[in-house]
Amino acid sequence: MSTLPIDPAPALPTGFTARVPTPDDLPRMVELVSDHRQRVRGDGSVDEEALTAQLLGPGSWTRRQVVVEDDAGRLVAWAEVHDRAAGRTMVWLTVEAGAEVVAPPLLAWEEDVARVITAERGITETRLDALVDVGDRDEIGWFLDAGYVRTRSWLNMTRPVSPDEELPAPREGVQVRRVGVQEVGDGTTFPVAADLQAVHRMLEESFEDHFNSYRESFPEFVQRLREDPGHRWDHWWLALVEDQGEWVAGGALVASVVQPDASGKYGSYVDYIGVHRRARGRGVAKALLHTVIEDAARRDRNRVGLEVDADSPTHADGLYRALGWENKYVTESWNRDIRLEE
């Protein structure tokens, strides 16, 4: 398979070369990511299906990526830039221990690519957004040197699921249902567009007053979630609340499937949960969380994971702890704002 040249190309030190990833790189990429996580988290588990989608499959379509080889042809680094939304560019960097010299030029390359993406979108500025494990001192140092600042901490939590657990029903005036489906000609079913749009609206409006909130269009939102191999339409829920005799949308939750752990059991993961301001204080978040827990139990899964802002003024982590979630590891957001020359 031939590929186009990298444009722009990273300015790597002598002895290192960059190229776009190929399917042959996948085993080494799994090893590289696993070794990195083992160093910084003490857990080297990798969701190979999700990594494959990100590196080569649907998840790669909105990303620009390079892998780096040393002079012996060994892959030692992986850098990627994700065109997440207007004004938001996600960056990732994984470097093998001993090859740290390639990190600064790769970060410079990521900024160059982000500038190209920003210009292509017809806007003048973007925020570079990197997620770093709190124990990764090397990577934190690289981002500091590149002008990034730490902006937030995130707790990555998990909760066991038991098939015989009994959970309370939603409060009066609150109900939770899956997004509706409709049958198309040949018997194929698709989710109802109005319900999907309602989920997106609930999440967008729920987080308007939260840290680092930014607008992501509905097409971008749906495309990004569908890039995840764990995505399932029947893992989208709407919470409805009674308001002056009518039932209106008051919150939403989107979950996905997590690959089996060491026990061989699958898990569920809460990608998004939001409660609209008009529905707060009515137990909507608990109702949504109880729903995804019960759904996981019915599917014979053994856990539900999620990520929560450790610095949120709403203290959402307290709710999760009260409902049985415990923290596994902590990540941090490191940001840098760049502006194109006018």
Side-chain angles (χ1 to χ4, degrees):
M1 179 183 69
S2 61
T3 59
L4 294 171
I6 300 167
D7 183 25
L12 295 171
T14 301
F16 296 93
T17 56
R19 58 174 175 79
V20 297
T22 71
D24 291 339
D25 297 326
L26 185 59
R28 173 58 183 149
M29 291 298 97
V30 171
E31 180 183 16
L32 190 67
V33 173
S34 178
D35 288 348
H36 176 263
R37 290 181 179 174
Q38 186 63 46
R39 290 200 312 271
V40 300
R41 298 180 188 175
D43 178 3
S45 58
V46 176
D47 185 335
E48 294 189 27
E49 187 178 10
L51 189 145
T52 301
Q54 180 179 340
L55 185 71
L56 303 164
S60 69
W61 297 343
T62 52
R63 291 170 166 86
R64 306 190 190 191
Q65 308 181 67
V66 294
V67 292
V68 176
E69 294 178 325
D70 62 16
D71 54 8
R74 177 179 172 80
L75 290 183
V76 297
W78 174 22
E80 67 171 62
V81 183
H82 182 194
D83 181 15
R84 174 73 175 264
R88 178 58 52 89
T89 308
M90 310 294 293
V91 298
W92 281 270
L93 182 62
T94 304
V95 178
E96 182 181 63
E100 293 84 355
V101 66
V102 305
L106 286 175
L107 286 178
W109 172 79
E110 290 178 336
E111 180 178 336
D112 289 342
V113 172
R115 290 181 180 277
V116 171
I117 291 171
T118 302
E120 290 174 346
R121 277 188 173 268
I123 56 179
T124 59
E125 57 187 22
T126 192
R127 169 162 292 181
L128 303 179
D129 195 340
L131 197 63
V132 180
D133 282 273
V134 72
D136 194 340
R137 297 183 181 276
D138 288 338
E139 194 158 336
I140 289 172
W142 302 333
F143 282 107
L144 274 172
D145 291 343
Y148 288 69
V149 295
R150 177 196 170 279
T151 54
R152 219 65 169 182
S153 295
W154 307 93
L155 304 179
N156 293 263
M157 309 181 80
T158 189
R159 180 198 192 278
V161 170
S162 171
D164 55 359
E165 182 176 8
E166 295 186 8
L167 296 170
R171 293 185 195 174
E172 185 176 353
V174 177
Q175 58 180 265
V176 178
R177 66 167 175 81
R178 281 192 175 87
V179 297
V181 296
Q182 54 195 355
E183 187 173 305
V184 181
D186 61 356
T188 303
T189 59
F190 285 96
V192 175
D195 277 3
L196 299 185
Q197 293 159 7
V199 169
H200 176 252
R201 187 176 70 255
M202 285 297 97
L203 296 175
E204 285 286 318
E205 295 179 1
S206 296
F207 291 107
E208 282 180 340
D209 54 355
H210 284 216
F211 160 78
N212 220 17
S213 175
Y214 63 97
R215 298 292 296 182
E216 184 177 29
S217 72
F218 177 69
E220 288 174 325
F221 175 71
V222 173
Q223 170 62 27
R224 183 169 53 78
L225 289 177
R226 292 189 67 189
E227 291 173 356
D228 181 355
H231 173 265
R232 302 289 188 274
W233 289 121
D234 62 357
H235 286 49
W236 290 48
W237 285 275
L238 270 170
L240 306 177
V241 295
E242 192 172 14
D243 183 21
Q244 298 181 356
E246 295 185 358
W247 288 94
V248 298
L253 185 150
V254 176
S256 56
V257 182
V258 179
Q259 290 298 298
D261 59 11
S263 72
K265 292 278 190 176
Y266 284 86
S268 293
Y269 188 84
V270 178
D271 296 290
Y272 292 99
I273 179 173
V275 178
H276 197 277
R277 57 180 57 82
R278 66 171 168 242
R280 291 174 185 169
R282 301 180 63 174
V284 171
K286 286 184 179 179
L288 286 165
L289 291 167
H290 288 158
T291 297
V292 75
I293 293 168
E294 291 172 340
D295 179 79
R298 282 194 296 270
R299 298 175 189 271
D300 194 31
R301 297 177 186 166
N302 66 355
R303 65 200 185 282
V304 176
L306 54 80
E307 179 185 79
V308 60
D309 181 356
D311 306 312
S312 170
T314 64
H315 304 292
D317 59 308
L319 169 65
Y320 297 132
R321 293 184 194 279
L323 295 180
W325 270 270
E326 295 182 353
N327 188 52
K328 289 182 63 180
Y329 60 91
V330 181
T331 54
E332 296 177 335
S333 286
W334 286 77
N335 296 155
R336 182 175 177 225
D337 293 328
I338 60 174
R339 186 173 180 84
L340 304 185
E341 295 182 2
E342 296 180 334

